[in-house]
Amino acid sequence: MDIQEYKGIYVFIQQVDGQVAGVSHELLGKAKELAKDMETEVTAVLLGYNVSGLCKDLSSYGADKIIMVDNKDLELYSTKPYAYCMCHIIEKYKPAAVLYGATAIGRDLAPRVAARVRTGLTADCTKLDVADDGTKNLRMTRPAFGGNIMATIICPDYRPQMATVRPGVMQKIKPIDGASAPTDSIDIEIPASEKDVQILEVIKKESQKMDIQDAKILVSGGRGMGCPENFKLLENLADALGGTVSSSRACVDAGWVEKDIQVGQTGKTVRPNLYLACGISGAIQHLAGMEESDVIVAINKDEGAPMFEVADFGVVGDALKVLPLLTEEVKKAMAARK
């Protein structure tokens, strides 16, 4: 393999029902940064059906070029048709790197594509940069050994370099007004052998709750809350602040709350304006999911809790006693502002 033939950073654009996933916007922004160091361009790979209307959006978030495959067989995500198209594009255009979001779709698709094109894949990355040794290799960093160490991985001998990146760990760029990237619309005939799974029905989970990755204010509870009933105290404060409730892994494992509100290495990565950690000790696995929050407030009766090391403000006390008092004060302050 002559790796010098491979050029460009490609980003797989995840879209469902004509909506681009936030992680795809994040990856375009990060790819733009990496492309400067690699002296190359960013290409968005858009697969779907009737998706041409998304091209302007992708241009504004950093795509220099767009490769689009508009095909009825790609209307709903299915592993083999999507993998076939991605492999066709990789073999035709020879990108130096391909990035995917570490979502359910990205985690399903990326390893299959990597296996077919015979290259490596670094999963669940939290950091990407370019080696400064002249090779321009992509340095892919991810938690290892339960999050106790961070491993930086390179793929020097095979191309493309491939990684899945956790949603929320990269920041979107400010949309570029008037940006318009050239689009290469290609036809790919997907063989019947790649369409042996038929999707009969899609049942969407209805939820009234805000996704914690979109929340500006998070009131998060840990083992120190004592029992699931005490999460009502978190809800009261979240309602008063106009935020939403999240949780540490311990509460999910105990069956107190659903996994979709878990913050941390095995949950979601969040970047709210305000993160209140209530009864959370601050294990490294949890910190990995929230340490980029703008302002962190820790409430814990253990003054030696690691959470205090990353907190901007700390309250040493029993969260079960502090939360009702804090909620009352917030309500008073909010009422005074009206």
Side-chain angles (χ1 to χ4, degrees), residues 14-33:
Q14 178 178 320
Q15 60 81 27
V16 178
D17 295 336
Q19 296 292 319
V20 176
V23 68
S24 296
H25 287 147
E26 294 165 12
L27 289 178
L28 285 172
K30 184 61 182 180
K32 196 78 171 174
E33 178 186 320

Side-chain angles (χ1 to χ4, degrees), residues 2 5-8 10 89-97 160:
D2 183 1
E5 295 180 10
Y6 291 75
K7 306 288 184 183
Y10 283 33
I89 289 168
I90 289 170
E91 289 164 2
K92 178 177 180 179
Y93 293 93
K94 292 182 167 52

Side-chain angles (χ1 to χ4, degrees), residues 6-294:
Y6 291 75
K7 306 288 184 183
I9 302 176
Y10 283 33
V11 176
F12 167 73
I13 302 302
Q14 178 178 320
Q15 60 81 27
V16 178
D17 295 336
Q19 296 292 319
V20 176
V23 68
S24 296
H25 287 147
E26 294 165 12
L27 289 178
L28 285 172
K30 184 61 182 180
K32 196 78 171 174
E33 178 186 320
L34 297 171
K36 292 180 181 177
D37 295 330
M38 296 176 71
E39 298 177 337
T40 189
E41 292 183 312
V42 177
T43 299
V45 180
L46 178 60
L47 309 182
Y49 183 58
N50 290 335
V51 291
S52 59
L54 300 178
C55 292
K56 184 177 180 181
D57 172 78
L58 301 179
S59 301
S60 70
Y61 277 97
D64 297 311
K65 297 178 181 178
I66 300 169
I67 295 173
M68 181 178 67
V69 182
D70 200 298
N71 188 314
K72 178 67 174 175
D73 293 328
L74 303 174
E75 183 172 14
L76 297 175
Y77 175 77
S78 186
T79 306
K80 292 179 72 175
Y82 268 68
Y84 181 86
C85 290
M86 284 300 296
C87 291
H88 179 94
I89 289 168
I90 289 170
E91 289 164 2
K92 178 177 180 179
Y93 293 93
K94 292 182 167 52
V98 183
L99 307 179
Y100 308 77
T103 60
I105 288 176
R107 287 169 171 160
D108 177 68
L109 177 64
R112 288 169 169 82
V113 175
R116 290 190 184 194
V117 300
R118 299 183 181 277
T119 191
L121 172 69
T122 305
D124 263 9
C125 293
T126 56
K127 180 181 178 183
L128 298 172
D129 58 7
V130 179
D132 57 5
D133 58 3
T135 64
K136 296 182 182 177
N137 284 323
L138 189 61
R139 290 160 41 92
M140 301 166 280
T141 302
R142 68 179 304 276
F145 293 101
N148 292 314
I149 66 169
M150 301 299 286
T152 298
I153 298 165
I154 61 172
C155 182
D157 300 324
Y158 294 90
R159 291 293 184 270
Q161 304 159 94
M162 297 179 69
T164 61
V165 180
R166 296 191 61 180
V169 300
M170 308 299 178
Q171 289 188 308
K172 302 176 186 178
I173 64 170
K174 184 178 179 180
I176 305 166
D177 291 335
S180 180
T183 300
D184 187 359
S185 181
I186 63 174
D187 293 323
I188 299 178
E189 185 175 342
I190 304 171
S193 60
E194 302 294 336
K195 297 184 290 185
D196 55 2
V197 173
Q198 182 181 3
I199 299 173
L200 300 179
E201 184 180 7
V202 176
I203 301 175
K204 296 182 179 180
K205 180 180 178 181
E206 293 186 10
S207 176
Q208 303 301 318
K209 296 181 295 184
M210 177 187 294
D211 189 322
I212 62 172
Q213 289 183 307
D214 298 327
K216 300 300 182 183
I217 298 174
L218 283 176
V219 182
S220 197
R223 196 190 306 273
M225 295 305 297
C227 63
E229 290 73 24
N230 288 335
F231 265 64
K232 183 63 177 176
L233 300 176
L234 303 175
E235 293 172 8
N236 291 340
L237 179 56
D239 289 344
L241 288 168
T244 192
V245 172
S246 56
S247 166
S248 70
R249 177 177 174 173
C251 301
V252 175
D253 289 346
W256 297 357
V257 295
E258 294 182 6
K259 186 175 174 60
D260 61 355
I261 65 168
Q262 179 187 329
V263 173
Q265 181 186 323
T266 55
K268 294 181 178 180
T269 300
V270 296
R271 288 174 178 262
N273 299 136
L274 175 63
Y275 187 87
L276 291 100
C278 309
I280 299 175
S281 63
I284 190 171
Q285 291 88 344
H286 186 80
L287 298 181
M290 47 64 66
E291 60 186 347
E292 295 297 324
S293 303
D294 291 344

